[in-house]
Amino acid sequence: MKKNVFALVALAALSLTACKKENTTAETDTVGTTTQTADAVTYNANVAESKIDWVGGKVSGDQHTGTIALKDGQVFVTNKAVTGGKFTIDMNSIVVTDITDAEMKTGLEGHLKGATAENADHFFNVSKFPTASFEITKVTEENGKQMVEGNLTIKEATHGIKFPATVTVTDADVTVASDEFEIDRTKWAVNYNSGSVVKDLAGDKVINDNIKLKISVKATK
């Protein structure tokens, strides 16, 4: 019975209910890297104070929330402006935050990570792909809002993304706090029960392609 419950819970993970269009990322092909000048100052990510929040769910509306931690990272600053950054994301750190039952929580986290041979590649297959990465290529301003642009790599697939964020630079630290935004998981071969990839799925089994993310990074000298 518990096994069946785990399967049902996993179906609801890592996809979204509908959200407002202004939260949608501008996904593109990969964008060019930025070469840092000799006077760029490096700030190192404080992984204890940095995280990625995610929300995912079924087309039917059921959803789950969770977090992912950074393994390491750097932010590059020139003339008090962020000009680049590189971050390693620890995929083994995936945590589900909305389930209080310990066994169900462990079951869902294991499914997302691909803990067994049967479900290894359903989602993130962390034994094969233990890390993901994000590279900031530039920070611009659009309509009075800061926009962070860069390359996101998951399961060895890389695509460009762009999202709104508040970026603050001081002599002591840099903070990047994104607005909530979306990515289409199928671009990174996370295809489990995707209605756009798997045909003829029953409606209550279809998981939305989009995942909602919110990034919080703090880096210090």
Side-chain angles (χ1 to χ4, degrees):
M1 180 65 180
K2 283 287 187 182
K3 184 176 180 182
N4 291 334
V5 172
F6 292 158
L8 289 172
V9 172
L11 290 174
L14 289 182
S15 57
L16 299 172
T17 54
C19 67
K20 295 180 181 180
K21 189 172 181 63
E22 59 263 27
N23 286 335
T24 303
T25 57
E27 294 175 4
T28 64
D29 291 332
T30 56
V31 290
T33 59
T34 301
T35 302
Q36 300 305 311
T37 61
D39 59 344
V41 178
T42 299
Y43 292 69
N44 294 309
N46 182 333
V47 296
E49 297 188 40
S50 302
K51 65 176 179 174
I52 301 169
D53 292 290
W54 57 263
V55 182
K58 284 183 175 182
V59 170
S60 62
D62 294 336
Q63 65 179 28
H64 290 288
T65 62
T67 61
I68 308 175
L70 294 185
K71 184 176 181 180
D72 56 52
Q74 296 176 313
V75 180
F76 307 115
V77 174
T78 303
N79 296 326
K80 296 187 177 181
V82 171
T83 52
K86 295 181 179 181
F87 306 93
T88 305
I89 303 165
D90 180 6
M91 299 305 291
N92 278 291
S93 72
I94 295 172
V95 172
V96 175
T97 57
D98 68 301
I99 298 178
T100 56
D101 181 277
E103 193 172 358
M104 292 182 67
K105 173 181 166 70
T106 299
L108 178 52
E109 290 171 353
H111 194 180
L112 296 176
K113 296 175 185 180
T116 68
E118 181 182 5
N119 66 27
D121 207 43
H122 283 184
F123 292 102
F124 297 105
N125 197 348
V126 300
S127 62
K128 185 176 181 180
F129 308 105
T131 62
S133 64
F134 179 60
E135 178 185 20
I136 296 175
T137 57
K138 61 182 176 180
V139 178
T140 58
E141 186 171 312
E142 295 181 10
N143 301 318
K145 185 70 177 180
Q146 290 169 297
M147 301 294 294
V148 176
E149 187 169 353
N151 294 314
L152 176 63
T153 300
I154 303 172
K155 297 174 74 172
E156 296 185 349
T158 303
H159 295 281
I161 63 172
K162 181 168 65 173
F163 54 84
T166 300
V167 181
T168 306
V169 178
T170 71
D171 290 338
D173 57 43
V174 175
T175 58
V176 179
S178 82
D179 292 359
E180 205 166 59
F181 66 96
E182 295 178 344
I183 62 170
D184 177 350
R185 64 188 173 97
T186 65
K187 289 179 175 290
W188 290 269
V190 183
N191 296 327
Y192 185 68
N193 279 23
S194 162
S196 65
V197 175
V198 184
K199 304 304 179 185
D200 301 320
L201 280 174
D204 63 342
K205 292 185 177 181
V206 179
I207 300 175
N208 270 311
D209 289 347
N210 287 344
I211 302 170
K212 188 180 294 184
L213 302 176
K214 190 173 183 180
I215 297 172
S216 301
V217 172
K218 182 175 182 179
T220 58
K221 287 183 181 177

